[in-house]
Amino acid sequence: MGGRGRPRASYRRAIRDLGEALRVDPRSPEALSNRGLAWSGIAEADAAVGMDAAGPREKAIADLHAAVVANPSFWQAWANLGLLHDAAGQPAKAVEAYDAALQICPGHPKLEELLAAARARLGPPPGKEPVK
């Protein structure tokens, strides 16, 4: 297998292994989050070679959402959920996820940066003109 397939194969193995762990504990936030990150890795690998990344990205978002439902204080899962929504072109959902992460981990500089960037992509609220 070529170099491009290796990362995908590693992610697939991780997804399989985490699926087995989730059969034992279906609400494990760590396993759900890690499987979401593996799906995200496949999405990135697919996008890098011009393939459609929507399917793996949707699976990643679903797993990360399940992780924050299982453990609402898991700020890293909230942050990763924000990154995935950003990558999917969903800045409003990204803002919600980054904001949730910052409620748990206030003052985190990278989260604040990501939140500001996602808000900028949203543009001004309806009825408000941008400040010039």
Side-chain angles (χ1 to χ4, degrees):
M1 187 181 289
R4 288 184 186 159
R6 283 194 189 117
R8 254 182 143 267
S10 296
Y11 292 131
R12 290 271 180 215
R13 269 193 306 283
I15 289 166
R16 183 196 64 224
D17 293 346
L18 290 161
E20 290 174 15
L22 286 163
R23 278 189 275 291
V24 174
D25 182 3
R27 292 184 36 88
S28 168
E30 293 81 8
L32 287 162
S33 179
N34 287 333
R35 189 173 70 177
L37 293 175
W39 279 117
S40 176
I42 288 177
E44 288 177 22
D46 286 355
V49 295
M51 294 173 60
D52 182 16
R57 189 174 294 122
E58 288 170 11
K59 290 177 181 180
I61 288 171
D63 276 347
L64 284 162
H65 184 265
V68 299
V69 167
N71 180 358
S73 65
F74 193 177
W75 71 266
Q76 297 94 331
W78 280 112
N80 287 321
L81 188 57
L83 289 168
L84 283 164
H85 282 306
D86 253 348
Q90 302 168 336
K93 289 182 178 182
V95 165
E96 290 175 18
Y98 295 142
D99 191 48
L102 278 164
Q103 294 298 315
I104 301 159
C105 190
H108 190 288
K110 185 63 178 178
L111 287 173
E112 289 178 349
E113 177 185 321
L114 291 166
L115 176 60
R119 281 190 174 141
R121 281 188 287 286
L122 277 177
K128 296 261 185 173
E129 289 296 319
V131 177
K132 295 182 183 188

